[in-house]
Every structure is written in C-alpha cells, then in structure tokens.
Amino acid sequence: MELDEMKSTWKKMDQLLQTQNTLLKKSEIERQLGTVQRGLRPLYWGQVCQMLFGIVLVIMAVSYWTENREIWYRLVSGVIVHAYAVVTIILAGITVFKISKIDYSSPVTTIQKQLLQLRSFYLINGMLTGLTWWVIWIPVMLVIFGLLGQDLYVNAP
C-alpha cells in the first residue's frame, strides 16, 4: 500500500466517521424530542378534558339562567358559571394551541423558549381556573341543583 492510497483511505474513513457522528447526534436529538412530545401528551389531553368540562358547564349554565331570569340569584349564579366556563374553554384552547405550535425541527433553544412560554401560560391557566374554583363551586352547585329541581339557596342558604 502506498502513501497516497493510505491517505485517501484515511480521508474516506474520516468522512465516514463524521457522517456516523452526525447521524448519532441527529438520532439522539430526535430521541430527546420524542421524550418531550410524550411528556406533553398528558398535558394536551388534560386540556382537552378541561375544554369538555367547560362545554358541559356552558350548556348547564345557559339552560339554567335563560329559564330563571326573573329570580336574581339564579340569574347571577348562571351567568357567573357561564363566564367561568367560557374562560376555562378559552384558556385550555390557547394551551392546546401553544402545544401544537411547538416546532420540533427548530433549534433546541427555540424549543426551550416555546416550552417556557407554554409553562408560563399553563401556570396562568391553572391559577385562573383552579384558584377561582374555591369560590365558583358555590354557583356551580346552585346551577346543578337548580337543574335537578331544587333551590339550594332557599333550602340551604
């Protein structure tokens, strides 16, 4: 084997090694992004359930307050539940939209920024829908019992 043949063989092996390293890096990045996608799936489905919960609340609230416009506390509780349900649906929809807009082919720093924005918005979503539940459950109970034919405000003020 001559020196030129050895150099060309060495160059080919170096190119093959670089190609292999590039492929390994790409597969590692794809594996990590797959982990991120799998990690976001429960959040996605949780937000879909939150939207369904909001839709059920809207249907209940609208049917309650439209039938009870003459009694002020029924109207107020129905409108409060209706407004809460609409906010719940909107916030869950925005969260699902932010999850679906994550571009996994972009650079890692961009994905991290998108995930940070998603996390920040999800915290706001949780605070607005979760913390207000400490008070909202009362009008929700008025609506539920009202739809069942009981006036909870009169029976258990």
Side-chain angles (χ1 to χ4, degrees):
M1 203 179 217
E2 291 184 28
L3 185 60
D4 290 335
E5 287 177 28
M6 199 185 247
K7 284 182 181 179
S8 67
T9 306
W10 191 264
K11 198 179 270 188
K12 286 178 187 176
M13 291 197 48
D14 186 45
Q15 288 174 350
L16 287 172
L17 185 61
Q18 286 178 0
T19 306
Q20 184 180 9
N21 283 340
T22 305
L23 290 173
L24 282 173
K25 284 180 185 178
K26 283 183 181 179
S27 69
E28 178 65 20
I29 289 172
E30 288 173 1
R31 185 188 63 78
Q32 289 174 349
L33 290 177
T35 304
V36 170
Q37 286 176 325
R38 281 190 303 278
L40 288 176
R41 247 181 244 136
L43 175 63
Y44 176 84
W45 288 111
Q47 295 304 300
V48 169
C49 290
Q50 181 177 329
M51 283 192 284
L52 293 174
F53 174 71
I55 290 169
V56 169
L57 280 181
V58 163
I59 292 168
M60 286 177 14
V62 167
S63 66
Y64 182 71
W65 71 262
T66 55
E67 294 174 4
N68 296 298
R69 289 186 215 158
E70 65 279 350
I71 303 173
W72 71 270
Y73 61 88
R74 290 181 182 178
L75 177 67
V76 169
S77 63
V79 170
I80 288 172
V81 171
H82 188 173
Y84 174 77
V86 169
V87 169
T88 300
I89 293 168
I90 290 170
L91 292 176
I94 292 171
T95 305
V96 167
F97 178 73
K98 285 185 175 285
I99 291 171
S100 66
K101 291 302 284 183
I102 294 175
D103 183 16
Y104 296 102
S105 63
S106 61
V108 174
T109 54
T110 306
I111 296 171
Q112 287 175 338
K113 286 179 186 176
Q114 291 172 338
L115 288 173
L116 181 63
Q117 290 173 351
L118 172 65
R119 181 178 291 145
S120 300
F121 187 79
Y122 178 66
L123 286 174
I124 292 168
N125 179 357
M127 285 189 291
L128 289 176
T129 58
L131 291 177
T132 56
W133 186 255
W134 285 79
V135 176
I136 294 293
W137 71 271
I138 298 168
V140 169
M141 287 295 119
L142 285 170
V143 169
I144 290 173
F145 279 100
L147 290 173
L148 295 175
Q150 299 293 318
D151 194 348
L152 196 61
Y153 184 77
V154 172
N155 295 335

